[in-house]
Amino acid sequence: MYRHFGEVDAAAASPLYERVAVALSESDEALRAIEAAPARKRHPTVILAALHDLALAGRAPALAAAYAAVDGDAAADAAIDTLLRMTNSVVAIAVRRKTRPNETGRYAVLYPAIAEAARRVGAKAVGLIDVGCSAGLNLHVDRVGITYSNGQSLGDPASPVQLSSSVVGDRPIPTRALPEVVARVGIDLDPVDVTDADDARWLRACLWPDQPERIARLEAEMALAATAPPLLLQGDAIELMPDAFARVPADALPVVTTTWALSRFPLESRLRFLHRLDEAAAGRAVAWVSVEGVGVAPTIPTLGDRRASGHSIIGLAVFDRSDLHAEAIGRCWSQGRLLAWLAD
């Protein structure tokens, strides 16, 4: 597993982690140390993030220095040494935490989809509810700047958080602005508070040390989120949905977002999630923007696409009392870095 991760998964994106992972795969002592972790916590992304966390915390200075110098050989030696000396600490971090990819391409998908939901309802203000929110970074979608490959742009051009996305196909992205966001609520079994030093360090640890652009973007995102921290609700999303809806003012449109979150739910739970949205719509309109694998989001058409086809469907469902209108408004690839808009 470690050799495959290094030679296949990390090879193109992180030469540093390629070298470290292969070195771990060749060390019997290191592999025995990794086996001290529960089976579900032995994956390279988890163990490498735990080692990175120790380096960032100042507890593994040799590893931190090797990462800072982007020295693959020194990092490999230091990673093995740290793992053998601090096995208990590595395992404790791996068990307590779950990896956070923090991909920010989803802003480019969410912004036009949320704006489209508001347009259809005629909403002048929205309240965002992000299910599976992690650190709640998606909840600041209105505060970032987005540039598309066809020359279009959305959001705030002066924002410290800027990203780009490639448009696939000839249909342009709608350029209407998001209305005022009056509530930001995240729901997660284990939410991450960017204002907490340990949580913020863990987010950094989940990034690969030799990817400075991603690191700089995360720092900018966390700084932006810290200026207006969202409300984070910890627990089961289905049970907490009524509480989340109650946090959105009555004159605002609640927009629930799920980005690659529902695949972790069994079908029965996904249907219960849908029922919660329908219940909330008894007194006012509710919108749901989904970015999920083909066939994962209930009621969202699959456009005839095959499951596990490598792309995701961008869905928009509007619940208005007894009426439900659901459609697929786009496709996206690579966590939102490529986007095809389909809606009129």
Side-chain angles (χ1 to χ4, degrees):
M1 179 169 62
Y2 275 75
R3 177 172 293 279
H4 183 273
F5 176 84
E7 294 180 346
V8 178
D9 297 336
S14 176
L16 190 67
Y17 267 8
E18 176 187 13
R19 180 71 187 89
V20 171
V22 171
L24 291 172
S25 78
E26 295 172 343
S27 168
D28 291 339
E29 289 181 300
L31 294 176
R32 280 194 293 272
I34 291 168
E35 287 179 345
R40 62 187 176 83
K41 292 292 189 174
R42 297 174 188 168
H43 192 274
T45 55
V46 181
I47 297 299
L48 290 172
L51 287 166
H52 195 190
D53 188 76
L54 291 172
L56 292 172
R59 299 173 63 190
L63 183 60
Y67 282 167
V70 196
D71 185 334
D73 291 336
D77 292 340
I80 292 173
D81 179 68
T82 302
L83 179 59
L84 297 183
R85 287 189 303 102
M86 307 180 71
T87 301
N88 291 341
S89 296
V90 172
V91 170
I93 294 170
V95 168
R96 184 167 58 94
R97 297 289 195 176
K98 68 178 182 178
T99 53
R100 308 284 180 162
N102 301 307
E103 291 293 346
T104 52
R106 57 194 72 186
Y107 290 136
V109 174
L110 288 174
Y111 192 111
I114 295 169
E116 177 67 14
R119 181 191 72 82
R120 295 189 180 189
V121 177
K124 304 301 183 185
V126 297
L128 302 180
I129 301 171
D130 190 29
V131 173
C133 67
S134 184
L137 301 181
N138 288 343
L139 293 165
H140 297 275
V141 60
D142 59 313
R143 304 176 68 202
V144 307
I146 309 160
T147 302
Y148 297 94
S149 61
N150 62 359
Q152 293 181 280
S153 61
L154 287 172
D156 182 1
S159 172
V161 178
Q162 298 290 325
L163 71 152
S164 59
S165 180
S166 296
V167 175
V168 178
D170 299 328
R171 193 180 292 261
I173 307 297
T175 55
R176 65 184 61 88
L178 277 174
E180 181 185 6
V181 177
V182 295
R184 307 175 198 270
V185 184
I187 307 175
D188 199 286
L189 288 172
D190 185 23
V192 177
D193 180 2
V194 298
T195 65
D196 179 88
D198 289 342
D199 280 4
R201 187 180 65 246
W202 177 246
L203 288 182
R204 297 182 181 100
C206 289
L207 297 185
W208 299 358
D210 53 346
Q211 296 183 329
E213 289 185 4
R214 290 185 65 192
I215 294 170
R217 189 167 60 201
L218 176 62
E219 293 293 345
E221 284 186 284
M222 290 197 298
L224 184 69
T227 63
L231 173 65
L232 301 178
L233 303 179
Q234 181 173 9
D236 179 81
I238 296 168
E239 299 303 321
L240 290 173
M241 289 290 282
D243 187 11
F245 281 114
R247 309 301 180 108
V248 178
D251 57 350
L253 171 70
V255 181
V256 178
T257 59
T258 63
T259 53
W260 300 284
L262 291 186
S263 59
R264 298 191 292 270
F265 290 30
L267 177 59
E268 179 186 1
S269 295
R270 282 180 255 162
L271 295 175
R272 288 179 59 214
F273 167 79
L274 199 69
H275 182 62
R276 285 294 197 202
L277 298 178
D278 188 52
E279 287 179 331
R284 58 174 169 178
V286 170
W288 169 36
V289 170
S290 61
V291 189
E292 305 284 352
V294 177
V296 171
T299 78
I300 301 300
T302 61
L303 304 172
D305 298 347
R306 293 180 294 106
R307 290 177 181 267
S309 57
H311 70 272
S312 300
I313 300 288
I314 307 165
L316 173 57
V318 176
F319 301 75
D320 194 355
R321 294 176 172 83
S322 61
D323 293 331
L324 166 62
H325 180 74
E327 69 175 279
I329 60 174
R331 295 183 178 93
C332 70
W333 296 258
S334 300
Q335 299 282 305
R337 287 186 286 273
L338 289 91
L339 166 64
W341 191 261
L342 303 176
D344 293 329

